[in-house]
Amino acid sequence: MVAITNLHPVDEEQVGTNISKPVLGDIRKEWGWVKIGLEEILYADKTLTFRVEDVYALCVTDQAALWIADGGFCITTTEVDEFTSEKTLLLWLGWTPTRGNKVGLVHTQFFLDIAKENGYAKLELRSKIKEISKYLIDAGWSIDTTIYSRRV
């Protein structure tokens, strides 16, 4: 991974809050509180099929990375397009104890920089939370696809 260099300017809505740069974390050292966040994510979304231990294993084997900032975390993974070989940096899981502060959006430029410096073609995140769409689109993200499923 690339050393963390700078954080983009904070928008006016964030003035007065304590914003820190994301740093790589060690899942072994941070597991106590990260596990709680992962359990909250799984409780809120019953369609997710992994277990918290799966996330731990992926981080320990360097198939995923734990980033820590502002009292929360983001787990990233790499996806490779099987046809073009383009790499996508997936912001796979994100959690913070405080909701509604748009903390994730504050760090978008940081992750864009990390992706660019490491040869990724795209930055991607996925969410079932419909309300997040407006914030993401207003911040320069676009909707590539919407997935609908039906159990058989």
Side-chain angles (χ1 to χ4, degrees):
M1 277 293 177
V2 173
I4 299 167
T5 54
N6 62 351
L7 184 65
H8 68 288
V10 175
D11 67 295
E12 288 188 31
E13 289 183 19
Q14 295 298 330
V15 173
T17 60
N18 183 17
I19 303 298
S20 62
K21 287 192 265 187
V23 295
L24 280 172
D26 181 341
I27 194 77
R28 289 178 176 104
K29 293 178 182 173
E30 309 295 340
W31 184 241
W33 69 273
V34 170
K35 181 180 179 183
I36 293 167
L38 292 171
E39 288 170 341
E40 284 186 21
I41 291 168
L42 288 171
Y43 181 80
D45 187 347
K46 303 295 185 207
T47 65
L48 298 174
T49 57
F50 60 86
R51 302 169 86 166
V52 295
E53 294 83 3
D54 298 325
V55 178
Y56 182 92
L58 289 174
C59 288
V60 166
T61 59
D62 294 327
Q63 296 175 67
L66 169 65
W67 296 90
I68 300 169
D70 308 312
F73 66 81
C74 178
I75 308 280
T76 60
T77 61
T78 298
E79 292 193 346
V80 179
D81 185 297
E82 64 184 302
F83 303 110
T84 66
S85 298
E86 284 187 340
K87 293 190 315 182
T88 297
L89 180 61
L90 175 62
L91 305 177
W92 179 31
L93 300 164
W95 178 87
T96 180
T98 56
R99 305 289 190 270
N101 291 333
K102 302 178 194 168
V103 171
L105 290 178
V106 170
H107 299 297
T108 298
Q109 189 60 52
F110 171 84
F111 285 109
L112 283 169
D113 292 343
I114 291 294
K116 186 174 185 178
E117 292 167 10
N118 287 280
Y120 289 87
K122 286 194 318 186
L123 183 65
E124 182 175 303
L125 68 82
R126 301 169 189 154
S127 179
K128 286 183 77 164
I129 302 169
K130 293 178 185 175
E131 297 79 12
I132 200 171
S133 178
K134 179 187 176 347
Y135 297 114
L136 291 173
I137 290 170
D138 288 349
W141 292 76
S142 64
I143 298 173
D144 288 344
T145 188
T146 302
I147 299 172
Y148 298 92
S149 64
R150 185 173 173 172
R151 288 283 223 197
V152 295

